[in-house]
Amino acid sequence: MTTKLYAFLVLPAILLLGACSESPEKATRVFTGGFLYTVNEDLPTAEAMAIEGNKIIYVGDQAGAKPFIGSETEVIDLEGKTLTPGWIEGHGHFMGLGYNELNLDLSATKSFQEIVAMVKEAADRTPAGEWITGRGWHQSKWTESPGKQINGFPLHLAISEVSPDNPVFLYHASGHAGFANARAMEIAGLNPLGKEQLRDPNHQEGGEIIRDENGNPTGIFNETAMGLITRHIPANSPEKDRQAFELAMAACHRNGITGFHDAGIGSKTVDLYQQMKRDGKMKLRMYAMIAGGNREFLEEWLNRGPEIDSLLTFRSIKLSCDGALGSRGAWLLEEYSDRPGHFGHETLPMEYVYDVSKMALEKGFQLCTHAIGDRANKEVLDRYQAALEEFPEKRNEHRFRIEHAQHLHPEDIPRFAELGVLPAMQAIHLSSDRPWAIERLGAQRIKEGAYMWQALLQSGVPIINGTDVPVEPINPLANFYASVTRKTLEGSPEEGYEADQKMSREQALRSYTLDAAYGAFEESMKGSLEVGKVADFVIFDRNIMEIPEAEILQTQVSLTVLDGQIVYQQ
């Protein structure tokens, strides 16, 4: 319930009459009557909070809020709801979130047949010759057989049959593989099948085309081989980019997200974000990582230097050093349990990682490197360590990150804290992947090195949490549930997978707020409810810190506030 001060029902009369007239400042809004979790170790919980404009001016008990209430103060009774700092998506792909709402969203599909049906429906309404794109399928989540498979993937024939006049490319949920139909492969010069005029793309560095027993492409393109298809997909129009931006921002607000770490963007998206900020449409605190795979683009930014702003910051570089576990692209020290002789893919030369590490330290940039497999993590840590040895004066200020840090060799777990490297991990990946990940890695590697949240926290390093959207839905409550239960979203197994690695609720909340802010050098500005920090916060309809764990997934966002302004109300 929202009301002005004169609506006496909100607060007891004694509280209203007790407002201190000599107080130097009056609040724009006061929130009381609920549960406030501050993520401030000195005051973990509170009864009331006052904000003036875009700043927090009071956090404490209800009586202490009285001096901040004036004749124009809006007093909001939380009615038993829960208020926390605004949640920060610690690793996601913002435009991918928006485009998932514009293109085919395959994330909920449970079978190959469902995907074929969605492609047919899209082809029926799409003019001949126009591309059909989508994302979100995952073969390990299908509940029925797709028919003939090669290396665990179906063939393109059923999709090609329903879309003969449209090129189709469907990204795997991980973004590290894609499914092309016959028309798309024809455009790419891969038809007639088995008679390519190009240099054999099977030997493309860091990628693979899956082929059948006759040497024909099955439609699956892994890692860098996707470029053989994607280079032919027309660029999105500026109008469509802006539409995707607006959709992504609205999705964040609905889910209580006030900050977003965008994990790798190119020059076109940089320009879009800067324009949206100039137009007053950047209603989210965006921490954008410069895509470092393009050397020319990277050097341009290294020469320019970081750009730091409360709404839009460029001070980090994103590299990608291996693929995903689902597509068997994660780079492993030992072969895949379900594909003997295969170790995944090194998608970027380690010498380049070393060079960029040194340049980032020299120029004041943070380096954020994608590494999922245990070998990728070890190799990246080795390069970070070598670079830090050349710049020892930067050792305590670099905050280099490894994005995902999903599967680690036990010997590498303590190295994160030793080197000051931050793991940016996505708890929801355990809920989605753990049931089949054991097939890829085997029981021992899962137990000793997969999703090692508590081991990393106990070593003394904070964890940055997130969803990797659109790989997973943006919903932070599903991620919070995964963090504290280590179960699938269906609630299994009863005790959770490798239960000793669960986060406490306090740890999980911190990983999504203050520790995520720390991962962007922004902990002095946001991430906790403290006087002087920006008024970014979210209100939930249930007390996520105390309710039974099964109720976490039923919790709804009631209100999202950014910079003191309500950006979403249920």
Side-chain angles (χ1 to χ4, degrees):
M1 178 171 69
T2 303
T3 181
K4 291 293 184 182
L5 178 65
Y6 51 75
F8 62 92
L9 293 177
V10 174
L11 289 177
I14 189 172
L15 175 59
L16 301 183
L17 295 174
C20 181
S21 59
E22 63 268 23
S23 174
E25 56 184 340
K26 299 300 179 184
T28 308
R29 292 189 176 101
V30 169
F31 297 82
T32 188
F35 302 95
L36 278 67
Y37 292 92
T38 68
V39 199
N40 174 3
E41 291 182 356
D42 296 329
L43 184 70
T45 61
E47 297 176 342
M49 180 177 72
I51 67 172
E52 198 282 316
N54 71 337
K55 296 290 185 182
I56 298 172
I57 59 173
Y58 172 78
V59 182
D61 60 27
Q62 186 166 292
K66 291 187 295 183
F68 298 95
I69 300 174
S71 61
E72 296 299 316
T73 302
E74 184 180 15
V75 180
I76 298 179
D77 183 359
L78 295 173
E79 299 179 326
K81 296 182 174 68
T82 294
L83 187 153
T84 76
W87 288 35
I88 301 165
E89 171 57 56
H91 177 110
H93 305 277
F94 189 74
M95 295 303 289
L97 168 60
Y99 270 105
N100 237 32
E101 300 200 15
L102 290 174
N103 299 328
L104 290 182
D105 182 358
L106 308 173
S107 58
T109 55
K110 298 296 184 183
S111 70
F112 183 54
Q113 290 73 20
E114 282 185 63
I115 295 170
V116 173
M118 290 179 69
V119 171
K120 182 181 187 307
E121 183 180 343
D124 289 343
R125 65 174 184 264
T126 304
E130 288 191 12
W131 281 80
I132 295 170
T133 59
R135 179 170 177 168
W137 63 272
H138 200 303
Q139 77 286 358
S140 295
K141 300 178 183 179
W142 294 340
T143 57
E144 56 185 87
S145 172
K148 183 177 179 179
Q149 300 177 67
I150 304 292
N151 289 341
F153 296 100
L155 281 65
H156 69 89
L157 301 176
I159 287 179
S160 297
E161 183 178 351
V162 299
S163 56
D165 301 320
N166 298 93
V168 175
F169 194 69
L170 308 175
Y171 291 90
H172 191 269
S174 66
H176 290 267
F179 210 146
N181 74 343
R183 184 74 184 102
M185 290 188 283
E186 180 182 1
I187 290 172
L190 295 169
N191 269 356
L193 300 184
K195 299 180 181 178
E196 296 86 342
Q197 302 303 309
L198 306 174
R199 175 181 62 84
D200 186 354
N202 271 344
H203 296 103
Q204 182 160 330
E205 191 69 26
E208 175 187 27
I209 291 179
I210 304 295
R211 296 174 180 271
D212 65 18
E213 61 276 10
N214 298 316
N216 298 321
T218 63
I220 296 294
F221 294 77
N222 221 338
E223 303 301 342
T224 58
M226 288 191 293
L228 294 166
I229 303 293
T230 59
R231 68 176 60 134
H232 299 282
I233 301 176
N236 294 312
S237 68
E239 293 76 16
K240 195 171 184 181
D241 281 341
R242 292 173 73 93
Q243 185 182 3
F245 180 95
E246 297 277 7
L247 288 169
M249 191 164 58
C252 287
H253 294 163
R254 289 195 305 273
N255 285 281
I257 300 294
T258 59
F260 199 104
H261 297 185
D262 199 346
I265 64 172
S267 59
K268 182 183 178 185
T269 306
V270 168
D271 293 343
L272 172 66
Y273 289 178
Q274 291 174 329
Q275 184 61 53
M276 298 303 272
K277 180 175 179 292
R278 287 192 294 267
D279 292 346
K281 295 184 180 297
M282 181 66 76
K283 305 294 185 182
L284 191 78
R285 300 196 192 280
M286 181 68 71
Y287 188 74
M289 306 175 193
I290 298 299
N294 183 317
R295 185 69 180 249
E296 182 179 351
F297 179 55
L298 173 60
E299 290 182 350
E300 174 189 332
W301 270 96
L302 288 169
N303 292 330
R304 182 188 305 180
E307 293 184 8
I308 300 171
D309 179 83
S310 63
L311 279 180
L312 178 60
T313 289
F314 303 97
R315 71 174 300 168
S316 59
I317 299 163
K318 168 74 182 302
L319 299 179
S320 187
C321 289
D322 72 340
L325 195 69
S327 58
R328 298 182 184 82
W331 193 20
L332 303 182
L333 289 165
E334 299 177 19
E335 64 186 10
Y336 277 80
S337 297
D338 58 355
R339 189 177 171 187
H342 184 68
F343 294 84
H345 302 286
E346 175 193 8
T347 57
L348 200 65
M350 287 300 109
E351 188 63 28
Y352 185 70
V353 177
Y354 175 54
D355 290 342
V356 175
S357 298
K358 292 186 293 182
M359 290 188 287
L361 290 169
E362 183 179 10
K363 299 292 186 178
F365 279 85
Q366 178 190 46
L367 185 54
C368 308
T369 304
H370 165 118
I372 288 181
D374 52 5
R375 180 166 183 185
N377 278 277
K378 174 180 173 53
E379 297 280 355
V380 172
L381 287 170
D382 287 348
R383 298 323 183 277
Y384 282 2
Q385 180 173 346
L388 286 167
E389 288 172 355
E390 294 195 36
F391 292 87
E393 71 280 6
K394 303 283 188 178
R395 188 171 184 88
N396 296 322
E397 61 184 64
H398 62 87
R399 300 193 195 181
F400 277 16
R401 296 166 45 160
I402 289 186
E403 307 299 309
H404 308 303
Q406 199 165 335
H407 307 288
L408 308 172
H409 189 280
E411 293 178 0
D412 289 322
I413 293 173
R415 297 180 67 195
F416 284 82
E418 291 166 2
L419 296 172
V421 174
L422 307 176
M425 307 176 77
Q426 298 73 48
I428 192 65
H429 285 336
L430 176 131
S431 289
S432 293
D433 299 357
R434 175 57 182 80
W436 53 260
I438 195 166
E439 299 172 5
R440 303 282 194 275
L441 300 174
Q444 182 176 350
R445 280 187 288 183
I446 285 283
K447 182 178 180 179
E448 294 180 353
Y451 319 102
M452 301 299 289
W453 310 330
Q454 200 58 237
L456 286 162
L457 288 168
Q458 293 304 316
S459 75
V461 66
I463 288 177
I464 303 160
N465 217 330
T467 64
D468 201 10
V469 65
V471 176
E472 301 283 355
I474 188 69
N475 181 7
L477 289 165
N479 211 28
F480 183 80
Y481 173 85
S483 301
V484 302
T485 69
R486 290 180 71 95
K487 297 180 181 180
T488 68
L489 298 187
E490 291 72 38
S492 63
E494 185 174 349
E495 299 301 320
Y497 290 107
E498 292 76 52
D500 62 317
Q501 292 301 315
K502 293 177 184 177
M503 295 187 201
S504 69
R505 297 198 194 198
E506 290 75 20
Q507 289 171 334
L509 178 60
R510 184 180 176 111
S511 72
Y512 239 115
T513 54
L514 188 59
D515 285 346
Y518 180 84
F521 299 87
E522 295 174 336
E523 72 278 7
S524 63
M525 178 184 76
K526 64 181 186 181
S528 59
L529 305 178
E530 298 183 61
V531 172
K533 289 194 173 184
V534 292
D536 296 354
F537 53 93
V538 58
I539 297 172
F540 298 105
D541 66 356
R542 307 186 190 204
N543 187 343
I544 60 171
M545 305 302 285
E546 295 186 5
I547 57 176
E549 62 183 30
E551 292 186 26
I552 294 172
L553 294 175
Q554 302 167 20
T555 302
Q556 300 288 319
V557 172
S558 298
L559 194 76
T560 305
V561 175
L562 175 80
D563 228 21
Q565 300 297 313
I566 296 173
V567 293
Y568 171 77
Q569 190 163 8
Q570 190 179 40

